[in-house]
Amino acid sequence: GGATARGSKSSFTSLVNRWNGRPYTQRYYDILEKRKTLPVWHQKEEFQKALKDNQALILVGETGSGKTTQIPQFVLEAIDVESADRRKKFMVGCTQLRRVDAISVSGRVAAEMDVTIGEEVGYSVRFEECISDKTVLKYLTDGMLLREVMNDPLLCRYKVIILDEAHERTLATDMLFGVLKRVLKCRPELKLVIMSATFEDSEKFQGYFFGSPLIKVPCRLHPVEIFYTHGPERDYLEAAIRTVLQVHMCEPPGDILVFLTGKQEIEDACCKITKEVSKMGDKVEPVKLVPLYSTPTPSSLTEAGRKILLSRNIAEVSSTIDGIVYVIDPGFEKKKVYNPRVRVESSLVSPISKELAVQRSNHAGRTQPGTCFRLYTEKSFKNDLQPQTYPEILRLNLANTVLTLKKLGIDDLVHFDFMDPPAPESLLRALEVLNYLGALDDNGNLTKLGEIMSEFPLDPQMGKMLVVSSEFNCSSEILSISAMLSVPNCFIRPWNAQKAAAHEAKARFVHIDGDHLTLLNVYHAYKQNNEDESWCYENFVDYKALKSADNLRQQLARIMARFNLKFCSTDFNSRDYYTNIRKAMLAGFFMQVAHLERTGYYLTVKDNQVVNLHPSCCLDHKPEWVIYNEYVLTSKNFIRTVTDVRGEWLVEIAPHYYDLDHFPQCEAKRVLEKLYRKKEESKNTH
Ligand code: ADP
Ligand code: MG
């Protein structure tokens, strides 16, 4: 017999994977050694004891300390010891803010546990699920967990919920706080772990969750030297590029991480840095530019030369990227902000908070002592930056939130236990918008239409447009437009010699009535050209954006089918083909309309804000009435993605909103009065 004596039974069982009964592979042991070096590993017993003794607890640890990958495994181990029945009776759910993170971390943890992804460990993100009836650990986006609460209000399938990245205070996280607090009261055996990368909110979390204990993972940061500028920088992008080049020329090896505000800015910076470095020729080492937006970060970037990583936010800088020694922080981020008084939600480039500045600079000290260049003055850091970023619930449009909470059966929003209650004005605005859309009745109760709208992962206006589109005989086209509006801009805008060619390419897709129909043209052309990547390349449209729009479209179609919403199109040769589409769009977006004044400016309807057509707008004329998808605030107020609509349709489709008794005095009102009179007259003559 070749069997070597392994000693006692207990040491034998440790060689077998308890989850699938198979012997552990060598890879398992290799990864285990690495896991043991993570900071959280030293607090395993402390954590497990606290979990046993409390219903909720809070864990704070720097990015990279092992929270997301290790804690769920500690939980599994702790509850497995306690309970004999392992499967189906319990599941551990761990939330993530981004779908890419849920997918990638579940893959990593499956490898760490030596199981197949989709079996014992799985993930669930919008439109994609990879789980089985064996699943004991599920990573899911916070949005998905909210959707699950809709169908399983007490989250009966879960024994432990882990809310990750709680410090980010996204809308979904804040909603989950309130919802889970209620569930915890109903289910004393359910446990909640809140994980955060910053200390700032942790006492607040403790207070909110019944004085739960706090476990702090000591951080292992190396010192980071901070430099400030002597005076304010006029152009932070130019300053950031200049600093990158200086560091590259003068500083010892080590990768550079630069924080910028948007995709376009990152692309521009990449081009400019490449150009400048190549100008320097052999005098300097080569560089590798790595833009970090939207795609998961490759975990092994081991090429020679200095890497320059460009990122929009901390979340994109995966904990797997080692070797960052220099951080360049211009001090800005793009943030969505909602102004309930004028009902405008817009993306604004705004100064970051002190808290975020510190988090950014910490990235320089993860593997060795590092340096952070803040492109603003020390005085500005001390006096101008606000201490913390406001949670999203205090600064975003709440229409979607309110719809979701209503669907969860939470009727009294004013007394709902929010950790940070939103301004009553924001809640009232949201209720009002949902009432205008017909999602809530006059008593604030969810209508049948509202129920269906809440099933779509879309903003209420778009949800409404989609749900009613079959009444306008164009649900197929509205599906395509909704999908195209939900993905990043599909037009590629090169800044070099190809600019003119790209402009020409876009011109071929233009529809004279506006941008929404132009997007529809792009989508149709993409399908007619068999979703061909090189066709996209030749026509300066973003293949990835089109592909995800197509995917999203299928998923939306599935939800429509579930509610027996009809798929239909008007005959393409009919005069009504585009008219029907424009009317259906107006049925959802009648609150996002602007009127052309005699002065040549547009005024948004009812709120009377002066706006301009965005430079990207394809219209070659200025229609009297337009609907818009987005309000952009930069140096001027712009409306982006705009389509021509007719005044007659406003009074026909949305008379309850275009109710002149509640309309401010303005040019638009006088035009509408005429339109109503015309409508009356034609009614009388027929
Ligand atoms: P935290 O959540 O505290 O930021 P994580 O648990 O995400 O920490 O990461 C801890 C460590 O696990 C990382 O530093 C990295 O070494 C490893 N790790 C995490 N995700 C992956 C992955 N997808 N591939 C390889 N290693 C990973
Ligand atoms: Mg994490």
Side-chain angles (χ1 to χ4, degrees):
T4 346
R6 287 280 187 193
S8 72
K9 192 164 174 263
S10 69
S11 78
F12 173 75
T13 48
S14 74
L15 298 173
V16 172
N17 189 336
R18 80 173 93 173
W19 298 114
N20 54 21
R22 283 182 237 147
Y24 284 122
T25 61
Q26 186 55 44
R27 178 148 166 254
Y28 168 82
Y29 293 104
D30 293 344
I31 302 182
L32 187 60
E33 288 314 306
K34 281 201 207 109
R35 291 170 58 198
K36 286 180 181 166
T37 66
L38 291 170
V40 287
W41 195 269
H42 305 290
Q43 269 145 306
K44 186 166 157 181
E45 277 78 38
E46 183 190 347
F47 172 82
Q48 289 177 333
K49 178 159 186 338
L51 183 73
K52 195 161 173 258
D53 297 342
N54 298 278
Q55 194 181 14
L57 62 111
I58 293 130
L59 183 97
V60 181
E62 279 285 333
T63 312
S65 53
K67 298 183 300 300
T68 309
T69 52
Q70 306 310 307
I71 294 295
Q73 298 187 65
F74 296 173
V75 170
L76 278 178
E77 200 182 290
I79 57 179
D80 189 43
V81 176
E82 283 178 37
S83 80
D85 52 341
R86 304 196 317 208
R87 305 290 154 85
K88 285 185 185 170
K89 300 281 184 345
F90 73 77
M91 190 156 60
V92 174
C94 180
T95 64
Q96 295 293 296
L97 304 183
R98 306 190 309 160
R99 49 186 287 136
V100 288
D101 293 333
I103 296 170
S104 104
V105 79
S106 57
R108 167 70 182 180
V109 172
E112 291 191 359
M113 287 170 59
D114 216 9
V115 298
T116 310
I117 179 79
E119 292 188 358
E120 286 78 7
V121 179
Y123 64 84
S124 169
V125 296
R126 190 167 81 158
F127 304 141
E128 207 181 323
E129 202 170 60
C130 179
I131 54 168
S132 70
D133 53 8
K134 290 186 199 160
T135 303
V136 289
L137 171 57
K138 179 160 92 174
Y139 285 91
L140 73 178
T141 52
D142 46 10
M144 276 312 294
L145 187 59
L146 269 175
R147 302 221 146 243
E148 288 190 11
V149 188
M150 286 185 184
N151 300 314
D152 176 12
L154 291 180
L155 290 166
C156 293
R157 283 177 292 171
Y158 293 95
K159 195 156 191 172
V160 181
I161 304 273
I162 304 170
L163 283 187
D164 203 356
E165 311 277 1
H167 62 277
E168 292 272 340
R169 300 292 303 276
T170 61
L171 256 183
T173 298
D174 270 31
M175 280 198 270
L176 282 170
F177 282 153
V179 169
L180 286 169
K181 191 168 174 178
R182 283 162 47 122
V183 179
L184 286 174
K185 283 183 188 151
C186 299
R187 282 189 55 201
E189 79 289 2
L190 179 75
K191 290 184 188 280
L192 174 68
V193 179
I194 294 174
M195 305 206 289
S196 163
T198 64
F199 211 59
E200 270 75 5
D201 270 342
S202 49
E203 277 177 17
K204 198 177 204 168
F205 294 164
Q206 280 185 290
Y208 183 76
F209 285 106
F210 334 106
S212 316
L214 177 102
I215 297 181
K216 190 165 189 284
V217 185
C219 69
R220 272 190 320 192
L221 272 185
H222 299 274
V224 176
E225 194 176 1
I226 312 266
F227 288 99
Y228 294 92
T229 54
H230 293 299
E233 290 287 347
R234 218 165 11 96
D235 179 343
Y236 68 83
L237 182 59
E238 186 263 333
I241 294 170
R242 180 164 27 88
T243 313
V244 166
L245 297 170
Q246 268 164 12
V247 169
H248 184 53
M249 283 186 302
C250 311
E251 301 290 329
D255 297 338
I256 306 172
L257 170 62
V258 191
F259 287 101
L260 295 174
T261 69
K263 194 172 156 207
Q264 188 65 39
E265 217 172 77
I266 289 178
E267 279 166 17
D268 288 355
C270 280
C271 292
K272 285 178 188 154
I273 294 168
T274 309
K275 216 161 135 190
E276 291 300 320
V277 171
S278 71
K279 265 195 226 157
M280 295 175 197
D282 298 339
K283 279 183 289 184
V284 296
E285 294 280 305
V287 293
K288 168 143 180 56
L289 287 137
V290 188
L292 294 179
Y293 47 78
S294 71
T295 44
T297 318
S299 49
S300 60
L301 287 163
T302 46
E303 285 161 62
R306 198 197 293 270
K307 283 195 291 292
I308 299 170
L309 306 144
L310 301 105
S311 168
R312 293 175 302 188
N313 54 50
I314 302 254
E316 287 173 346
V317 187
S318 155
S319 53
T320 56
I321 301 176
D322 286 338
I324 296 168
V325 180
Y326 307 98
V327 166
I328 297 172
D329 175 19
F332 289 97
E333 67 177 331
K334 201 178 268 169
K335 262 199 316 233
K336 263 198 178 166
V337 183
Y338 179 64
N339 180 343
R341 223 164 323 112
V342 292
R343 269 179 307 135
V344 164
E345 184 173 66
S346 45
S347 290
L348 269 179
V349 172
S350 29
I352 60 172
S353 65
K354 275 202 189 82
E355 179 189 357
L356 193 55
V358 172
Q359 283 179 43
R360 285 182 173 186
S361 57
N362 281 351
H363 269 284
R366 294 267 299 279
T367 37
Q368 67 181 81
T371 312
C372 175
F373 299 91
R374 293 188 178 148
L375 305 182
Y376 40 93
T377 62
E378 186 165 11
K379 194 162 154 259
S380 187
F381 173 79
K382 286 202 174 119
N383 303 336
D384 302 341
L385 299 192
Q386 63 188 59
Q388 267 177 282
T389 311
Y390 286 112
E392 283 185 352
I393 196 146
L394 299 185
R395 57 183 167 88
L396 295 190
N397 177 355
L398 297 181
N400 218 344
T401 308
V402 168
L403 188 60
T404 306
L405 292 176
K406 287 277 176 187
K407 181 73 204 293
L408 293 175
I410 296 158
D411 288 322
D412 185 1
L413 293 170
V414 179
H415 295 106
F416 182 66
D417 189 4
F418 289 107
M419 184 176 289
D420 281 296
E425 202 184 13
S426 294
L427 280 176
L428 286 177
R429 276 295 192 180
L431 290 166
E432 189 189 53
V433 163
L434 291 169
N435 180 242
Y436 277 130
L437 289 170
L440 298 179
D441 64 21
D442 291 346
N443 299 320
N445 298 318
L446 204 60
T447 61
K448 187 80 202 111
L449 173 67
E451 296 240 351
I452 303 177
M453 280 165 60
S454 75
E455 294 286 330
F456 287 94
L458 302 172
D459 274 345
Q461 274 98 322
M462 208 184 287
K464 166 81 186 268
M465 159 174 99
L466 194 51
V467 174
V468 300
S469 59
S470 45
E471 294 165 26
F472 294 87
N473 202 20
C474 57
S475 58
S476 179
E477 286 75 17
I478 292 293
L479 256 178
S480 310
I481 292 172
S482 304
M484 290 295 282
L485 289 173
S486 303
V487 300
N489 177 19
C490 68
F491 295 107
I492 292 171
R493 293 164 296 171
W495 64 287
N496 52 15
Q498 289 187 303
K499 212 169 172 168
H503 193 75
E504 246 173 63
K506 183 175 173 183
R508 287 195 293 274
F509 297 115
V510 162
H511 189 285
I512 52 161
D513 288 328
D515 298 308
H516 297 83
L517 301 178
T518 301
L519 289 176
L520 183 65
N521 282 346
V522 174
Y523 179 77
H524 283 159
Y526 168 73
K527 296 298 272 187
Q528 273 154 18
N529 287 282
N530 306 314
E531 303 163 30
D532 180 30
E533 190 168 357
S534 54
W535 175 85
C536 289
Y537 183 79
E538 284 153 23
N539 288 280
F540 296 91
V541 295
D542 187 342
Y543 173 66
K544 268 200 264 169
L546 265 298
K547 210 172 133 153
S548 57
D550 202 26
N551 184 29
L552 181 59
R553 189 183 185 282
Q554 285 172 31
Q555 312 297 341
L556 294 174
R558 239 171 267 168
I559 303 176
M560 283 183 70
R562 191 143 55 82
F563 290 95
N564 294 321
L565 296 167
K566 202 169 60 173
F567 291 91
C568 47
S569 291
T570 306
D571 176 11
F572 186 69
N573 297 312
S574 157
R575 281 174 52 193
D576 292 333
Y577 180 81
Y578 286 111
T579 309
N580 287 347
I581 297 171
R582 286 154 68 199
K583 283 184 173 175
M585 292 197 294
L586 186 62
F589 286 90
F590 56 83
M591 284 174 274
Q592 291 185 192
V593 171
H595 179 253
L596 180 66
E597 304 286 294
R598 266 169 308 189
T599 53
Y601 288 109
Y602 281 96
L603 277 192
T604 58
V605 148
K606 281 202 181 178
D607 306 315
N608 288 350
Q609 299 291 302
V610 179
V611 289
N612 299 274
L613 300 182
H614 192 265
S616 68
C617 179
C618 73
L619 287 169
D620 64 356
H621 62 294
K622 282 185 160 182
E624 184 181 3
W625 298 94
V626 292
I627 52 167
Y628 59 91
N629 188 54
E630 214 183 339
Y631 190 107
V632 196
L633 267 173
T634 49
S635 48
K636 277 198 220 165
N637 296 345
F638 289 110
I639 47 177
R640 185 159 59 195
T641 313
V642 172
T643 287
D644 183 346
V645 292
R646 314 232 359 200
E648 288 84 349
W649 303 344
L650 301 175
V651 300
E652 172 191 325
I653 292 171
H656 62 302
Y657 186 73
Y658 290 87
D659 157 21
L660 297 185
D661 293 341
H662 300 99
F663 219 88
Q665 279 305 335
C666 58
E667 250 178 75
K669 181 170 182 170
R670 290 189 285 280
V671 177
L672 287 164
E673 273 163 356
K674 266 189 227 147
L675 290 168
Y676 273 112
R677 246 176 287 150
K678 229 170 84 186
K679 193 177 159 191
E680 266 318 294
E681 280 161 19
S682 75
K683 217 179 358 186
N684 294 338
T685 52
H686 286 303

